[in-house]
Amino acid sequence: MDDDVSLSPGVVPGGRVRSQLSTAGVVHDLGNLIQVASSALNHLAREPSISAVPGIDIVIAGARTALDRAGGLVRQTIKTAREIQGNVEHANISVCLVEIESLVRSARYENVRFEFRVDSNLPLVRCDRAGLQNAVLNLVFNARDAMPDGGLISIDAFAPESLRQVAIRIRDSGIGMTGETVVRAFDPFFTTKGGGFGGVGLPMVKRFAEESEGSVHIESVLGMGTTVTLRLPVTS
């Protein structure tokens, strides 16, 4: 399996949680600035020289109203971000893999065979469903590209005993990787191919795994194929 991947439209990394936290942080800082501005406005309103200015009361009242509304928007935005953050997404791996199997089989890749094996009664995993499918598709496309003369791609999903995880293992019979390539496989834009998107696929998979509090691991032997195992935490 090569380290690069040919991405299809719609294959994107997960990352909503990080984006939400970043937005909430900016809004929180805006709230602090609004408090500073409100305090300064109250101080100015108490100054005799300022209060004597004709029409200043209307100006100050308008500024207070604007700051109050801005503060309300800040509080509502942070509340919404917390609610979204609290809604942990769950994914059914069996359902996700059925959809992926239908997709890749309909593509009819020449000389490439697929074998899907999914344990029964797998628990739900804690991750973004679309992100999971994108990650698996990246790995499947990567495996396909590593077999220029065709071969077998096997996709297995199982729950290791005594671990609160579900594992998805993608194995190919392709060209494999050197030890040096395996070490660098998750480096952004590292690739052994001249075309494509330049080493984006595996870094995207790693990012998804880490954001889901899971992991991804590569085992490969040059000339004998590659196995990538994606592990995701089960729901509580």
Side-chain angles (χ1 to χ4, degrees):
M1 181 184 294
D2 203 337
D3 56 288
D4 194 16
V5 63
S6 298
L7 300 178
S8 65
V11 177
V12 297
R16 254 182 285 180
V17 172
R18 183 176 296 177
S19 176
Q20 289 159 5
L21 290 175
S22 177
T23 300
V26 171
V27 173
H28 179 269
D29 290 343
L30 286 174
N32 289 338
L33 294 175
I34 289 171
Q35 290 185 42
V36 171
S38 296
S39 178
L41 185 63
N42 290 333
H43 178 74
L44 288 174
R46 290 193 295 269
E47 287 291 325
S49 58
I50 297 295
S51 59
V53 175
I56 196 64
D57 290 345
I58 296 176
V59 174
I60 291 176
R64 279 177 173 162
T65 299
L67 287 173
D68 287 343
R69 289 181 179 176
L73 288 173
V74 165
R75 289 188 294 273
Q76 181 59 43
T77 302
I78 291 178
K79 179 176 180 292
T80 301
R82 285 173 177 164
E83 290 173 350
I84 294 175
Q85 175 68 12
N87 294 332
V88 178
E89 292 195 65
H90 301 158
N92 185 317
I93 285 183
S94 298
V95 172
C96 288
L97 290 184
V98 166
E99 293 176 358
I100 290 174
E101 180 178 11
S102 176
L103 175 65
V104 298
R105 291 195 188 282
S106 66
R108 299 183 182 276
Y109 298 118
E110 187 174 357
N111 299 324
V112 176
R113 294 177 291 115
F114 294 94
E115 188 175 73
F116 284 79
R117 293 186 294 262
V118 181
D119 283 0
S120 60
N121 300 318
L122 287 177
L124 297 177
V125 292
R126 191 171 64 248
C127 71
D128 172 64
R129 180 176 180 274
L132 169 61
Q133 290 188 316
N134 291 336
V136 174
L137 281 173
N138 269 289
L139 295 175
V140 169
F141 294 154
N142 228 22
R144 175 205 62 190
D145 292 344
M147 302 188 304
D149 299 321
L152 174 67
I153 299 175
S154 62
I155 299 95
D156 301 280
F158 54 96
E161 292 184 9
S162 74
L163 293 178
R164 298 283 296 167
Q165 293 179 324
V166 171
I168 304 173
R169 185 173 58 208
I170 294 90
R171 179 184 292 128
D172 68 64
S173 57
I175 59 177
M177 304 183 195
T178 65
E180 179 183 359
T181 299
V182 170
V183 169
R184 298 194 59 192
F186 293 115
D187 291 351
F189 306 112
F190 171 75
T191 179
T192 58
K193 297 195 294 188
F197 284 80
V200 175
L202 285 176
M204 289 169 64
V205 173
K206 181 181 180 183
R207 178 178 175 181
F208 163 76
E210 291 177 344
E211 289 179 344
S212 303
E213 299 182 358
S215 64
V216 60
H217 178 70
I218 297 176
E219 296 177 66
S220 187
V221 177
L222 190 62
M224 298 183 64
T226 298
T227 299
V228 181
T229 304
L230 175 65
R231 292 183 174 87
L232 298 167
V234 303
T235 57
S236 302

